[in-house]
Amino acid sequence: MGDVDLDTLQRWLRTFAASVAEQRDALTALDAAIGDADHGANMHRGMTAVVEGLDATPASDPAALFKQAGMTLVKSVGGASGPLYGTLFLRMAPATGGAATLDPETFAKALRAGLEGVVARGKAEPGDKTMVDALTPALDALDAALASGRSPAEALRAASAAADEGRDATTPMVARKGRASYLGERSAGHQDPGATSAALLVAAAATAVAEQEGA
């Protein structure tokens, strides 16, 4: 199983930015139902800034890439999504150990550190109807697939499928965190926008790594 290189990690972020741009209106529509109707616009602005930063100042290694992306998101995105996605990438940076390329287990460990940062920052748990509901099953599936000897591309495809299932499972949930929680029972029946964008993040990783492997 090959390492995930810097070019692939940058392609991951660019692919995520493109997905957010494509789904901006859909994310905003989801957020209009249970939030501030700004998730799509905020994420699009943040990821556009991340890509502009990559173009202007290419990162020297994965840790620098994640730190740069995280700081950009914290500074450029309003609402809850900026601090949460920013924290995810900022926590990933030290978990890389300064390596020039990431073996699959280190990439998974970095993603897990990012998720733990999101949980700590947002005080959310699985079942609260947040991005954690997509990321937790995704990373569990990633770890299980890698442990069974599957390639990084195969493991990330499994993670992406699990993220999609987690995203879909937020629809009947009653929100317990964030602005959606103010609606109480009325938040049920609506897919969570944060879980939706988080599923896009995992899908983008699967796409970028599959391209590296030629899978």
Side-chain angles (χ1 to χ4, degrees):
M1 293 191 293
D3 288 1
V4 180
D5 61 29
L6 182 59
D7 285 346
T8 297
L9 295 171
Q10 293 189 60
R11 191 161 61 247
W12 171 33
L13 298 185
R14 292 179 186 277
T15 301
F16 179 48
S19 296
V20 167
E22 182 180 323
Q23 297 295 321
R24 174 177 59 179
D25 292 345
L27 291 170
T28 292
L30 290 172
D31 199 32
I34 56 174
D36 289 334
D38 60 1
H39 187 62
N42 284 343
M43 289 301 299
H44 178 57
R45 181 170 64 252
M47 290 310 299
T48 297
V50 167
V51 170
E52 289 172 349
L54 293 179
D55 290 340
T57 312
S60 57
D61 59 34
L65 174 69
F66 295 142
K67 183 177 180 181
Q68 180 178 329
M71 291 298 296
T72 300
L73 288 168
V74 169
K75 288 189 289 187
S76 64
V77 182
S81 52
L84 291 172
Y85 273 98
T87 296
L88 186 150
F89 287 115
L90 288 171
R91 288 289 190 92
M92 287 185 72
T96 66
T101 62
L102 305 183
D103 63 61
E105 288 73 22
T106 300
F107 185 43
K109 187 178 93 172
L111 286 166
R112 179 71 65 179
L115 171 59
E116 290 171 354
V118 168
V119 169
R121 183 71 183 252
K123 306 292 190 291
E125 300 174 356
D128 282 347
K129 198 181 180 95
T130 71
M131 62 192 291
V132 171
D133 290 301
L135 292 175
T136 299
L139 299 193
D140 289 348
L142 177 63
D143 289 343
L146 290 175
S148 69
R150 294 169 73 180
S151 73
E154 291 172 333
L156 281 164
R157 275 197 288 272
S160 182
D164 288 350
E165 290 179 9
R167 171 202 66 202
D168 294 346
T170 65
T171 299
M173 291 177 183
V174 173
R176 296 199 292 257
K177 294 292 179 184
R179 193 167 187 84
S181 65
Y182 302 163
L183 296 175
E185 296 289 336
R186 287 179 295 145
S187 63
H190 299 281
Q191 184 174 301
D192 181 66
T196 305
S197 60
L200 294 176
L201 179 72
V202 181
T207 297
V209 171
E211 289 176 0
Q212 177 185 318
E213 292 186 10

